Amino acid sequence: MAPARPVVRWWVVALVLLAIAALAFAVGRFSTFGNAGPVDPGTDSPEAGFSRDMQVHHAQAIAMAMEIYRKTDDDELRVLSYDIATGQAGQRGEMFDWLVQWGLPQSGGPMMQWMSASDAGHDHGVGGDDPLTDEEARIAMGMASDAELDALAAATGQDADCQFLSLMIRHHEGAIPMAEALLELGTDARALQVAQSIKDGQTAEIDAMESMQARLGCTS
């Protein structure tokens, strides 16, 4: 006669399963202890300041690019202006979304003040006792004045093309130090990627626009 098989009571099985689950939970907790995910940038962070200021900067570039796109007869310039408008519109939307995801307001603090600890900020006079006024910041960022925008809107033909190229080169030259400041000060991986893209892309576009100026016979 075969020996009787031992009866394993249900509560013994339950206790074993509970012990295994508790061990797995403890191992998981231990493996993640001290390895928390990245913290979202705060409202005074370089990422937040960059996102706010670059949205303002991009908005003017988009408006100027669409202005010349509508009326230029130069095919190369039309393609470039379209690329500037669409590319910067996409970046502007992404930076708006960053601030939403981080739970931060779309505006706040003096323009460019976030750059004060960077080499680029020092080069632009940021970081002194008094923050830059909005007008001073716009000049430092290479942005066009209202009078310059009105003149571009009124211009036609080659005059309009040359005005646009001059304004947009200066505009790009103002954006590159902002990107460099974030690359120096920032920590958010996606923001750093976009800053590098802005620096590289706008540097290449400056070269292209200077070639167009030479081809069109624009005077500086």
Side-chain angles (χ1 to χ4, degrees), residues 65-83 156-165 208-218:
M66 291 308 299
E67 175 70 29
I68 202 65
Y69 175 80
R70 286 191 292 267
K71 62 188 181 184
T72 185
D73 293 324
D74 188 273
D75 290 339
E76 185 182 5
L77 182 53
R78 182 179 292 107
V79 170
L80 176 67
S81 62
Y82 180 83
D83 288 346
T156 58
Q158 183 176 327
D159 183 40
D161 293 347
C162 290
Q163 283 190 41
F164 169 80
L165 290 168
M209 288 188 286
E210 288 177 342
S211 294
M212 289 184 202
Q213 282 182 318
R215 175 173 60 80
L216 294 171
C218 301

Side-chain angles (χ1 to χ4, degrees), residues 2-55:
R5 296 172 61 186
V7 177
V8 180
R9 299 184 181 278
W10 67 268
W11 54 268
V12 174
V13 175
L15 285 176
V16 171
L17 292 175
L18 284 172
I20 292 172
L23 178 61
F25 177 78
V27 170
R29 293 280 291 187
F30 180 78
S31 65
T32 59
F33 183 76
N35 189 30
V39 177
D40 287 341
T43 195
D44 295 325
S45 66
E47 288 85 352
F50 174 83
S51 301
R52 292 166 180 148
D53 289 357
M54 195 59 82
Q55 283 189 69

Side-chain angles (χ1 to χ4, degrees), residues 15-185:
L15 285 176
V16 171
L17 292 175
L18 284 172
I20 292 172
L23 178 61
F25 177 78
V27 170
R29 293 280 291 187
F30 180 78
S31 65
T32 59
F33 183 76
N35 189 30
V39 177
D40 287 341
T43 195
D44 295 325
S45 66
E47 288 85 352
F50 174 83
S51 301
R52 292 166 180 148
D53 289 357
M54 195 59 82
Q55 283 189 69
V56 174
H57 202 261
H58 274 16
Q60 187 181 84
I62 294 166
M64 290 195 299
M66 291 308 299
E67 175 70 29
I68 202 65
Y69 175 80
R70 286 191 292 267
K71 62 188 181 184
T72 185
D73 293 324
D74 188 273
D75 290 339
E76 185 182 5
L77 182 53
R78 182 179 292 107
V79 170
L80 176 67
S81 62
Y82 180 83
D83 288 346
I84 290 173
T86 55
Q88 295 203 18
Q91 289 173 346
R92 186 168 180 252
E94 184 172 9
M95 288 183 280
F96 182 96
D97 187 55
W98 291 346
L99 292 168
V100 172
Q101 291 184 33
W102 298 335
L104 303 177
Q106 295 293 328
S107 61
M111 294 177 71
M112 296 183 74
Q113 192 62 26
W114 62 274
M115 297 172 59
S116 60
S118 71
D119 292 338
H122 295 157
D123 291 343
H124 283 77
V126 182
D129 294 335
D130 297 321
L132 299 179
T133 65
D134 282 355
E135 182 61 24
E136 290 170 338
R138 287 172 182 271
I139 292 171
M141 291 158 67
M143 296 181 68
S145 67
D146 290 343
E148 288 172 328
L149 294 175
D150 290 342
L152 177 62
T156 58
Q158 183 176 327
D159 183 40
D161 293 347
C162 290
Q163 283 190 41
F164 169 80
L165 290 168
S166 178
L167 291 174
M168 192 59 77
I169 288 171
R170 191 181 76 199
H171 205 269
H172 277 19
E173 289 172 342
I176 291 170
M178 296 167 66
E180 290 174 338
L182 184 63
L183 290 170
E184 180 182 343
L185 303 175

